[in-house]
Coordinates of all heavy atoms in Angstrom, one line a residue:
S259 N -1.1 -13.4 6.5 CA -1.2 -14.9 6.5 C -2.6 -15.3 7.0 O -3.1 -16.3 6.5 CB -0.1 -15.5 7.3 OG -0.3 -15.2 8.7
Q260 N -3.2 -14.6 7.9 CA -4.5 -14.9 8.4 C -5.6 -14.5 7.4 O -6.6 -15.2 7.3 CB -4.8 -14.2 9.8 CG -3.9 -14.7 10.9 CD -4.1 -13.9 12.2 OE1 -5.2 -13.9 12.7 NE2 -3.1 -13.2 12.6
F261 N -5.4 -13.4 6.7 CA -6.4 -13.0 5.8 C -6.4 -13.8 4.5 O -7.4 -13.9 3.8 CB -6.1 -11.5 5.4 CG -7.3 -10.7 4.9 CD1 -8.4 -10.5 5.8 CD2 -7.4 -10.3 3.6 CE1 -9.5 -9.8 5.3 CE2 -8.5 -9.7 3.1 CZ -9.6 -9.4 4.0
F262 N -5.2 -14.3 4.1 CA -5.1 -15.2 2.9 C -4.5 -16.5 3.3 O -3.4 -16.9 2.9 CB -4.2 -14.5 1.9 CG -4.7 -13.2 1.4 CD1 -4.2 -12.0 2.0 CD2 -5.6 -13.1 0.4 CE1 -4.7 -10.7 1.6 CE2 -6.1 -11.8 0.0 CZ -5.6 -10.7 0.6
P263 N -5.3 -17.3 4.0 CA -4.8 -18.6 4.6 C -4.5 -19.6 3.5 O -3.7 -20.5 3.7 CB -5.9 -19.1 5.5 CG -7.2 -18.4 4.9 CD -6.7 -17.1 4.4
Q264 N -5.1 -19.5 2.3 CA -4.8 -20.5 1.3 C -3.7 -20.1 0.3 O -3.4 -20.7 -0.7 CB -6.1 -20.8 0.5 CG -7.2 -21.4 1.4 CD -8.4 -21.8 0.6 OE1 -8.4 -22.2 -0.6 NE2 -9.6 -21.6 1.2
G265 N -3.1 -18.9 0.5 CA -2.0 -18.4 -0.3 C -0.8 -18.1 0.6 O -0.9 -18.2 1.8
D266 N 0.2 -17.7 0.0 CA 1.4 -17.3 0.7 C 1.6 -15.8 0.6 O 2.1 -15.3 -0.5 CB 2.7 -18.0 0.2 CG 3.9 -17.7 1.0 OD1 3.9 -16.9 1.9 OD2 5.0 -18.2 0.6
A267 N 1.2 -15.0 1.6 CA 1.3 -13.6 1.5 C 2.6 -13.0 2.1 O 2.7 -11.8 2.2 CB 0.1 -13.0 2.3
T268 N 3.5 -13.8 2.5 CA 4.7 -13.4 3.2 C 5.5 -12.4 2.4 O 5.9 -11.3 2.9 CB 5.6 -14.6 3.5 OG1 4.9 -15.5 4.3 CG2 6.8 -14.1 4.3
T269 N 5.7 -12.7 1.1 CA 6.6 -11.8 0.3 C 5.9 -10.5 0.0 O 6.5 -9.4 0.1 CB 7.0 -12.5 -1.0 OG1 7.6 -13.7 -0.7 CG2 8.0 -11.6 -1.8
Y270 N 4.6 -10.5 -0.3 CA 3.9 -9.3 -0.6 C 3.8 -8.4 0.7 O 4.0 -7.2 0.6 CB 2.4 -9.6 -1.0 CG 1.7 -8.3 -1.2 CD1 1.9 -7.5 -2.3 CD2 0.7 -8.0 -0.3 CE1 1.2 -6.3 -2.4 CE2 0.0 -6.8 -0.4 CZ 0.3 -5.9 -1.4 OH -0.4 -4.7 -1.5
A271 N 3.6 -9.0 1.8 CA 3.6 -8.3 3.1 C 4.9 -7.6 3.3 O 5.0 -6.5 3.8 CB 3.2 -9.2 4.2
H272 N 6.0 -8.3 2.9 CA 7.3 -7.7 3.1 C 7.5 -6.4 2.2 O 8.0 -5.4 2.7 CB 8.4 -8.7 2.7 CG 9.7 -8.2 2.5 ND1 10.6 -7.8 3.6 CD2 10.5 -8.0 1.4 CE1 11.7 -7.3 3.1 NE2 11.7 -7.4 1.8
F273 N 7.0 -6.5 0.9 CA 7.2 -5.4 0.0 C 6.3 -4.2 0.5 O 6.7 -3.1 0.4 CB 6.8 -5.8 -1.4 CG 7.8 -6.8 -2.0 CD1 7.4 -7.8 -2.8 CD2 9.1 -6.6 -1.8 CE1 8.3 -8.7 -3.4 CE2 10.1 -7.4 -2.4 CZ 9.6 -8.5 -3.2
L274 N 5.1 -4.5 0.9 CA 4.2 -3.5 1.3 C 4.7 -2.8 2.6 O 4.6 -1.6 2.8 CB 2.8 -4.0 1.6 CG 1.7 -3.0 1.8 CD1 1.5 -2.1 0.6 CD2 0.3 -3.7 2.1
F275 N 5.2 -3.6 3.5 CA 5.8 -3.1 4.7 C 6.9 -2.1 4.4 O 7.0 -1.0 5.0 CB 6.4 -4.2 5.6 CG 7.0 -3.7 6.9 CD1 6.2 -3.5 8.0 CD2 8.4 -3.5 7.0 CE1 6.8 -3.1 9.2 CE2 9.0 -3.0 8.1 CZ 8.2 -2.8 9.2
N276 N 7.8 -2.5 3.5 CA 8.9 -1.6 3.1 C 8.4 -0.3 2.5 O 9.1 0.8 2.6 CB 9.8 -2.3 2.1 CG 10.7 -3.3 2.8 OD1 10.9 -3.3 4.0 ND2 11.3 -4.2 2.0
A277 N 7.3 -0.3 1.8 CA 6.8 0.9 1.2 C 6.3 1.9 2.3 O 6.3 3.1 2.1 CB 5.6 0.6 0.2
F278 N 5.8 1.3 3.4 CA 5.3 2.2 4.5 C 6.4 2.6 5.4 O 6.3 3.6 6.1 CB 4.2 1.5 5.3 CG 2.8 1.7 4.7 CD1 2.3 0.9 3.8 CD2 2.1 2.8 5.2 CE1 1.0 1.1 3.3 CE2 0.8 3.0 4.7 CZ 0.3 2.2 3.7
D279 N 7.5 1.8 5.5 CA 8.6 2.0 6.4 C 9.5 3.1 5.8 O 10.6 2.9 5.3 CB 9.4 0.7 6.6 CG 10.5 0.9 7.6 OD1 10.6 1.9 8.3 OD2 11.4 0.0 7.7
I280 N 9.1 4.4 6.0 CA 9.7 5.5 5.4 C 11.2 5.7 5.9 O 12.1 6.0 5.1 CB 8.9 6.8 5.7 CG1 7.5 6.7 5.1 CG2 9.6 8.0 5.1 CD1 6.6 7.9 5.4
D281 N 11.4 5.4 7.1 CA 12.7 5.6 7.7 C 13.7 4.5 7.5 O 14.8 4.5 7.9 CB 12.6 6.0 9.2 CG 11.9 7.3 9.5 OD1 11.9 8.1 8.6 OD2 11.3 7.4 10.5
R282 N 13.1 3.4 7.0 CA 13.9 2.1 6.7 C 14.6 1.6 8.0 O 15.7 1.1 8.0 CB 15.0 2.4 5.7 CG 14.7 3.2 4.5 CD 13.6 2.6 3.7 NE 14.0 1.4 3.1 CZ 13.1 0.5 2.5 NH1 11.8 0.8 2.5 NH2 13.5 -0.6 2.0
N283 N 13.8 1.7 9.1 CA 14.4 1.2 10.4 C 13.7 0.0 10.9 O 13.9 -0.4 12.1 CB 14.3 2.4 11.4 CG 12.8 2.8 11.7 OD1 11.9 2.2 11.1 ND2 12.7 3.8 12.5
G284 N 12.9 -0.7 10.1 CA 12.3 -2.0 10.5 C 11.0 -1.9 11.3 O 10.5 -2.9 11.8
S285 N 10.4 -0.7 11.3 CA 9.2 -0.5 12.0 C 8.4 0.6 11.4 O 9.0 1.5 10.8 CB 9.4 -0.3 13.5 OG 10.1 0.9 13.7
I286 N 7.1 0.5 11.5 CA 6.2 1.6 11.0 C 5.6 2.4 12.1 O 4.9 1.8 13.0 CB 5.1 1.0 10.1 CG1 5.6 0.2 8.9 CG2 4.1 2.1 9.6 CD1 4.6 -0.5 8.1
R287 N 5.9 3.6 12.2 CA 5.3 4.5 13.2 C 3.9 4.9 12.8 O 3.5 4.8 11.6 CB 6.2 5.8 13.3 CG 7.6 5.5 13.6 CD 8.4 6.8 13.6 NE 8.2 7.5 12.2 CZ 8.4 8.7 12.0 NH1 8.8 9.6 13.0 NH2 8.3 9.3 10.8
F288 N 3.1 5.4 13.7 CA 1.8 5.9 13.4 C 1.9 7.0 12.3 O 1.1 7.1 11.4 CB 1.1 6.5 14.6 CG -0.2 7.1 14.4 CD1 -1.3 6.3 14.0 CD2 -0.5 8.5 14.5 CE1 -2.6 6.8 13.8 CE2 -1.7 9.0 14.2 CZ -2.8 8.2 13.9
E289 N 2.9 7.9 12.4 CA 3.1 9.0 11.4 C 3.3 8.4 10.0 O 2.7 8.9 9.1 CB 4.3 9.8 11.8 CG 4.2 10.6 13.1 CD 4.8 9.8 14.3 OE1 4.5 8.6 14.4 OE2 5.6 10.4 15.0
D290 N 4.1 7.4 9.9 CA 4.3 6.7 8.6 C 3.0 6.2 8.1 O 2.7 6.3 6.9 CB 5.3 5.6 8.7 CG 6.7 6.0 9.2 OD1 7.0 7.2 9.0 OD2 7.4 5.2 9.8
F291 N 2.3 5.6 9.0 CA 1.0 4.9 8.6 C 0.0 5.9 8.0 O -0.5 5.8 7.0 CB 0.5 4.3 9.9 CG -0.9 3.6 9.7 CD1 -1.0 2.4 8.9 CD2 -2.0 4.1 10.3 CE1 -2.2 1.8 8.8 CE2 -3.2 3.5 10.2 CZ -3.4 2.4 9.4
V292 N -0.2 7.0 8.8 CA -1.2 8.0 8.3 C -0.8 8.8 7.1 O -1.6 9.2 6.3 CB -1.7 8.9 9.5 CG1 -2.4 8.1 10.5 CG2 -0.5 9.7 10.0
I293 N 0.5 9.1 7.0 CA 1.0 9.8 5.8 C 0.8 9.0 4.6 O 0.3 9.5 3.5 CB 2.5 10.2 6.0 CG1 2.6 11.3 7.1 CG2 3.1 10.7 4.7 CD1 4.1 11.6 7.4
G294 N 1.1 7.7 4.7 CA 0.8 6.8 3.5 C -0.6 6.7 3.2 O -1.0 6.7 2.0
L295 N -1.5 6.5 4.2 CA -2.9 6.5 4.0 C -3.5 7.7 3.4 O -4.3 7.7 2.5 CB -3.7 6.2 5.3 CG -3.5 4.8 5.9 CD1 -4.5 4.7 7.1 CD2 -3.8 3.7 4.9
S296 N -2.9 8.9 3.8 CA -3.4 10.2 3.3 C -3.1 10.2 1.8 O -4.0 10.7 1.0 CB -2.7 11.3 4.0 OG -3.1 12.6 3.5
V297 N -2.0 9.8 1.4 CA -1.6 9.8 -0.1 C -2.6 8.8 -0.8 O -3.2 9.2 -1.8 CB -0.2 9.3 -0.3 CG1 0.1 9.1 -1.8 CG2 0.8 10.4 0.2
L298 N -2.8 7.6 -0.3 CA -3.5 6.6 -1.0 C -5.0 7.0 -1.1 O -5.7 6.6 -2.1 CB -3.4 5.2 -0.3 CG -2.0 4.6 -0.5 CD1 -1.8 3.4 0.4 CD2 -1.6 4.3 -1.9
L299 N -5.5 7.6 0.0 CA -7.0 7.9 0.0 C -7.4 9.3 -0.4 O -8.4 9.5 -0.9 CB -7.5 7.6 1.5 CG -7.2 6.2 2.0 CD1 -7.8 6.1 3.4 CD2 -7.9 5.2 1.1
R300 N -6.5 10.2 -0.1 CA -6.8 11.6 -0.4 C -5.9 12.3 -1.3 O -6.1 13.5 -1.7 CB -6.9 12.4 1.0 CG -7.8 11.8 2.0 CD -9.2 12.1 1.8 NE -10.1 11.3 2.7 CZ -10.4 11.6 4.0 NH1 -9.8 12.6 4.5 NH2 -11.2 10.8 4.7
G301 N -4.8 11.7 -1.8 CA -3.8 12.3 -2.6 C -4.3 12.5 -4.0 O -5.3 11.8 -4.5
S302 N -3.6 13.2 -4.8 CA -3.8 13.4 -6.2 C -3.4 12.1 -6.9 O -2.7 11.2 -6.4 CB -3.0 14.6 -6.8 OG -1.6 14.3 -6.7
V303 N -3.8 12.0 -8.2 CA -3.4 10.8 -9.0 C -1.9 10.7 -9.0 O -1.3 9.6 -8.9 CB -4.0 10.9 -10.4 CG1 -3.4 9.8 -11.3 CG2 -5.5 10.7 -10.4
T304 N -1.2 11.8 -9.2 CA 0.2 11.8 -9.3 C 0.8 11.3 -8.0 O 1.8 10.5 -8.0 CB 0.8 13.2 -9.7 OG1 0.3 13.5 -11.0 CG2 2.3 13.1 -9.8
E305 N 0.3 11.8 -6.9 CA 0.8 11.3 -5.6 C 0.6 9.8 -5.4 O 1.5 9.2 -4.9 CB 0.1 12.1 -4.5 CG 0.6 13.6 -4.4 CD -0.3 14.4 -3.4 OE1 -1.5 14.1 -3.2 OE2 0.2 15.4 -2.9
K306 N -0.5 9.3 -5.8 CA -0.8 7.9 -5.6 C 0.2 7.1 -6.5 O 0.6 6.0 -6.1 CB -2.2 7.6 -6.0 CG -3.2 8.2 -5.0 CD -4.7 8.0 -5.5 CE -5.7 8.7 -4.6 NZ -7.0 8.6 -5.1
L307 N 0.4 7.6 -7.7 CA 1.3 6.8 -8.6 C 2.7 6.9 -8.1 O 3.5 5.9 -8.3 CB 1.2 7.4 -10.0 CG -0.1 7.1 -10.8 CD1 -0.2 7.9 -12.1 CD2 -0.4 5.6 -10.9
N308 N 3.1 8.0 -7.5 CA 4.4 8.1 -6.9 C 4.6 7.0 -5.8 O 5.6 6.4 -5.7 CB 4.7 9.5 -6.3 CG 5.4 10.4 -7.3 OD1 6.6 10.3 -7.6 ND2 4.6 11.3 -7.9
W309 N 3.5 6.8 -5.0 CA 3.5 5.8 -3.9 C 3.6 4.4 -4.5 O 4.4 3.6 -4.0 CB 2.3 6.0 -3.1 CG 2.4 5.3 -1.8 CD1 2.8 5.8 -0.6 CD2 2.2 3.9 -1.5 NE1 2.8 4.9 0.4 CE2 2.4 3.7 -0.1 CE3 1.8 2.8 -2.3 CZ2 2.3 2.4 0.5 CZ3 1.7 1.6 -1.7 CH2 1.9 1.4 -0.3
A310 N 2.9 4.2 -5.6 CA 2.9 2.9 -6.3 C 4.3 2.6 -6.8 O 4.8 1.5 -6.8 CB 1.9 2.8 -7.4
F311 N 4.9 3.7 -7.4 CA 6.3 3.5 -7.9 C 7.3 3.1 -6.8 O 8.1 2.2 -7.0 CB 6.8 4.8 -8.6 CG 8.1 4.8 -9.2 CD1 8.3 4.4 -10.5 CD2 9.3 5.1 -8.4 CE1 9.6 4.3 -11.1 CE2 10.5 5.1 -9.0 CZ 10.7 4.7 -10.3
N312 N 7.1 3.7 -5.7 CA 7.9 3.4 -4.5 C 7.8 1.9 -4.1 O 8.7 1.3 -3.7 CB 7.6 4.3 -3.4 CG 8.4 4.0 -2.1 OD1 9.6 4.1 -2.1 ND2 7.7 3.7 -1.0
L313 N 6.6 1.4 -4.2 CA 6.3 0.0 -3.9 C 7.1 -0.9 -4.8 O 7.8 -1.9 -4.4 CB 4.8 -0.3 -4.0 CG 4.4 -1.7 -3.8 CD1 4.7 -2.2 -2.4 CD2 2.9 -1.9 -4.1
Y314 N 7.1 -0.6 -6.1 CA 7.8 -1.4 -7.1 C 9.3 -1.2 -7.1 O 10.1 -2.1 -7.4 CB 7.3 -1.0 -8.5 CG 6.0 -1.7 -8.9 CD1 4.8 -1.1 -8.8 CD2 6.1 -3.0 -9.4 CE1 3.6 -1.8 -9.1 CE2 4.9 -3.7 -9.8 CZ 3.7 -3.0 -9.6 OH 2.5 -3.7 -10.0
D315 N 9.8 0.0 -6.7 CA 11.2 0.3 -6.6 C 11.8 -0.3 -5.3 O 12.0 0.3 -4.3 CB 11.4 1.8 -6.7 CG 12.9 2.1 -6.6 OD1 13.8 1.3 -6.8 OD2 13.2 3.3 -6.4
I316 N 12.0 -1.6 -5.4 CA 12.3 -2.4 -4.2 C 13.6 -1.9 -3.5 O 13.7 -1.8 -2.3 CB 12.4 -3.9 -4.5 CG1 11.1 -4.4 -4.9 CG2 12.9 -4.7 -3.3 CD1 11.1 -5.8 -5.4
N317 N 14.7 -1.6 -4.3 CA 15.9 -1.2 -3.7 C 16.1 0.3 -3.6 O 17.1 0.8 -3.2 CB 17.1 -1.8 -4.5 CG 17.2 -1.2 -5.9 OD1 16.4 -0.3 -6.3 ND2 18.2 -1.6 -6.7
K318 N 15.0 1.0 -3.9 CA 14.9 2.5 -3.7 C 16.0 3.2 -4.4 O 16.6 4.2 -3.9 CB 14.9 2.8 -2.2 CG 13.9 2.0 -1.4 CD 12.5 2.1 -2.0 CE 11.5 1.2 -1.2 NZ 10.2 1.0 -1.8

Side-chain angles (χ1 to χ4, degrees):
S259 66
Q260 293 176 61
F261 202 71
F262 298 98
Q264 298 183 35
D266 182 0
T268 302
T269 305
Y270 175 73
H272 168 74
F273 290 141
L274 190 61
F275 179 87
N276 284 344
F278 271 88
D279 183 13
I280 297 173
D281 297 332
R282 318 298 297 166
N283 61 3
S285 61
I286 298 174
R287 306 171 303 158
F288 178 70
E289 297 94 312
D290 301 332
F291 178 70
V292 294
I293 289 172
L295 288 187
S296 178
V297 170
L298 293 171
L299 301 179
R300 306 283 170 81
S302 66
V303 168
T304 299
E305 288 171 333
K306 292 172 183 176
L307 291 176
N308 269 284
W309 198 96
F311 181 89
N312 178 60
L313 174 65
Y314 277 96
D315 181 15
I316 296 173
N317 67 0
K318 311 307 176 191

